[in-house]
Amino acid sequence: MRAYRLIAGMWVRSTMAYRASFAMTTFGNFAATFLDFVAIMLMFSRVDALGGYPLPEVAFLYGLSAVSFGAADLLIGSMERLGRRVRDGTLDTLLVRPAPVLAQVAADRFALRRLGRVTQGALVLGWSLTRVDIDWTADRLLLMPVMVLSGCGIFCAVFVAGAAFQFLAQDASEVQNAFTYGGTTLLQYPPTVFAKELVRGVTFVLPLAFVNWLPATYVLGRPYPLELPRWLAWTPPLVAVACGALAGLAWRAGLRSYRSTGS
């Protein structure tokens, strides 16, 4: 963590040396991600509900997914560049430094502008909370921060596992993006609009459903398409820990298999 903080801090100081550029790129990140929600709003200009969910409830799902993924992307989104380092041999530079390679790769080119995605998702989530009809009990209130933190942890695990895969397939950043960026786009829509086979896949194989679908349906008082026990809404922290452990094992295996470029 100390190595991560030092490297990330170096990149933050570099970014803040050009404050106007930072402000413009952050706003650009905010605006680009907001277009995703604009597309959802355009859909609701023609329909009253999507998969049985009105706009405020879809915005609730969108906001939870965007904040969780945005936080993970901010923290370790640079992991997707690992394949490039493996191809050109610059990963060797990180191996000879007295700091964990994972911390160095995760903090490499730390992009503070990604706060734009987190801010945009938080604004949509805040707007949805003023519109959804939820019976706010103590357990539902407690589940809100649990969802965000656990969702961030699950996405971080997916980032690390995707980077580990790039040790084997060096040009696989787009494969990783299919599960990270593609995963958050999937979770922005209700589970009821997808086939049950896909819902089963993101519940039992790649457990992205624990980011927001399962706990969010509990908060909204809606049934989950697979008719699972409602207590599973409280398991995202356990899923995040399990995913993190598996991703860590995959990372260690990938790093041990690295043989450099020979150049």
Side-chain angles (χ1 to χ4, degrees):
M1 291 302 297
R2 181 175 180 274
Y4 177 89
R5 289 196 300 269
L6 289 173
I7 297 170
M10 176 189 69
W11 285 106
V12 169
R13 290 192 297 273
S14 174
T15 298
M16 298 310 293
Y18 303 94
R19 296 179 184 272
S21 175
F22 165 70
M24 289 186 289
T25 54
T26 303
F27 177 76
N29 189 272
F30 175 94
T33 53
F34 184 69
L35 291 177
D36 294 337
F37 188 65
V38 170
I40 294 176
M41 294 175 67
L42 290 175
M43 292 182 194
F44 278 93
S45 67
R46 294 289 181 264
V47 298
D48 295 326
L50 191 63
Y53 285 63
L55 178 58
E57 293 185 353
V58 174
F60 182 69
L61 295 176
Y62 177 97
L64 288 171
S65 173
V67 172
S68 297
F69 175 76
D73 189 37
L74 173 66
L75 293 173
I76 62 172
S78 298
M79 298 293 295
E80 66 181 11
R81 294 192 180 94
L82 180 68
R84 189 182 310 166
R85 284 191 172 276
V86 172
R87 289 195 306 274
D88 60 23
T90 56
L91 184 63
D92 294 3
T93 306
L94 307 185
L95 290 171
V96 299
R97 291 174 180 169
V101 179
L102 179 59
Q104 295 183 71
V105 176
D108 183 41
R109 297 187 179 276
F110 184 88
L112 199 60
R113 68 177 182 277
R114 290 171 178 159
L115 279 173
R117 180 187 292 273
V118 181
T119 303
Q120 184 264 335
L123 290 175
V124 174
L125 179 60
W127 177 83
S128 70
L129 291 175
T130 65
R131 297 292 189 274
V132 290
D133 184 17
I134 297 176
D135 180 17
W136 288 110
T137 57
D139 58 339
R140 286 187 168 93
L141 286 172
L142 179 61
L143 197 55
M144 290 296 295
V146 170
M147 271 192 285
V148 174
L149 294 176
S150 300
C152 176
I154 292 172
F155 273 122
C156 284
V158 175
F159 269 112
V160 174
F165 177 70
Q166 292 189 53
F167 280 111
L168 301 177
Q170 292 87 14
D171 194 16
S173 60
E174 292 306 319
V175 175
Q176 178 178 340
N177 292 342
F179 293 99
T180 51
Y181 291 92
T184 187
T185 301
L186 176 79
L187 297 176
Q188 291 169 1
Y189 296 90
T192 50
V193 304
F194 300 104
K196 285 193 175 182
E197 291 75 13
L198 179 59
V199 177
R200 289 191 185 96
V202 295
T203 303
F204 301 112
V205 181
L206 183 66
L208 293 177
F210 290 86
V211 173
N212 67 344
W213 278 358
L214 275 165
T217 52
Y218 178 87
V219 172
L220 294 172
R222 287 185 169 273
Y224 193 64
L226 302 183
E227 299 180 358
L228 298 174
R230 292 182 65 79
W231 57 263
L232 285 176
W234 291 93
T235 58
L238 299 177
V239 173
V241 171
C243 289
L246 292 174
L249 292 174
W251 172 263
R252 288 176 179 271
L255 191 60
R256 289 193 185 104
S257 68
Y258 177 66
R259 293 295 180 266
S260 185
T261 61
S263 60

